[in-house]
Amino acid sequence: MYSKAHGAISLALGVALVAAGVDSVHPAFVVSYATAIGVLVDLDHFLWARYNTGDWRALRYVLGTPRAAFTDQRSIFRERDLEPLERLLSHVVIGGIAVPLTWLVEPDLGLVTGVTLYAHVLADLVEDVRELRVIR
């Protein structure tokens, strides 16, 4: 799933969490934070691509062509750069660390982190299942 979709889902979740009563931090922060972590968690893809290929080609490409991150995400990674299960594995590890840490700072922030990262992983899984069905 691409960043625009993750951003839209995370934005909607941030608004829903504010509407549901998450109010110990400013509502605008809740929405912004949910949107940001829902998109930025995908930066782990660059680490996987580096690990799998031995070079930083994907990161250099985005730094040299930043518009690709917004207009042509399909061009960033090659097929051998990262596998769906690797991507999901690191998302789960990130969530397992980020949720308790943010909960310790502020329980509502931990809730926002957990809900947003859960939705991100779920959206990726739905997209992966959809792609598998197309292949068959």
Side-chain angles (χ1 to χ4, degrees), residues 18-122:
V18 168
V22 173
D23 60 3
S24 62
V25 289
H26 194 280
F29 179 80
V30 171
V31 174
S32 300
Y33 175 74
T35 305
I37 64 169
V39 173
L40 294 177
V41 69
D42 278 340
L43 292 176
D44 66 341
H45 296 185
F46 293 100
L47 297 175
W48 278 116
R50 167 66 172 98
Y51 177 78
N52 289 334
T53 65
D55 68 45
W56 291 102
R57 185 209 59 81
L59 183 59
R60 282 194 312 273
Y61 174 72
V62 168
L63 293 175
T65 316
R67 75 175 180 279
F70 304 101
T71 61
D72 189 19
Q73 286 185 330
R74 188 167 299 193
S75 69
I76 297 172
F77 297 102
R78 297 179 183 153
E79 188 173 330
R80 64 185 173 94
D81 286 356
L82 86 148
E83 297 291 328
L85 290 178
E86 293 171 334
R87 163 175 59 78
L88 294 173
L89 172 65
S90 55
H91 288 352
V92 170
V93 170
I94 290 167
I97 294 168
V99 171
L101 288 178
T102 54
W103 184 276
L104 288 172
V105 172
E106 170 58 52
D108 276 354
L109 195 58
L111 175 67
V112 174
T113 303
V115 168
T116 304
L117 292 179
Y118 173 82
H120 182 103
V121 171
L122 182 60

Side-chain angles (χ1 to χ4, degrees), residues 1-14 31 34-36 38-39 120:
M1 179 166 286
Y2 292 114
S3 295
K4 288 179 186 178
H6 281 306
I9 291 167
S10 301
L11 174 70
L13 280 172
V31 174
T35 305
V39 173
H120 182 103

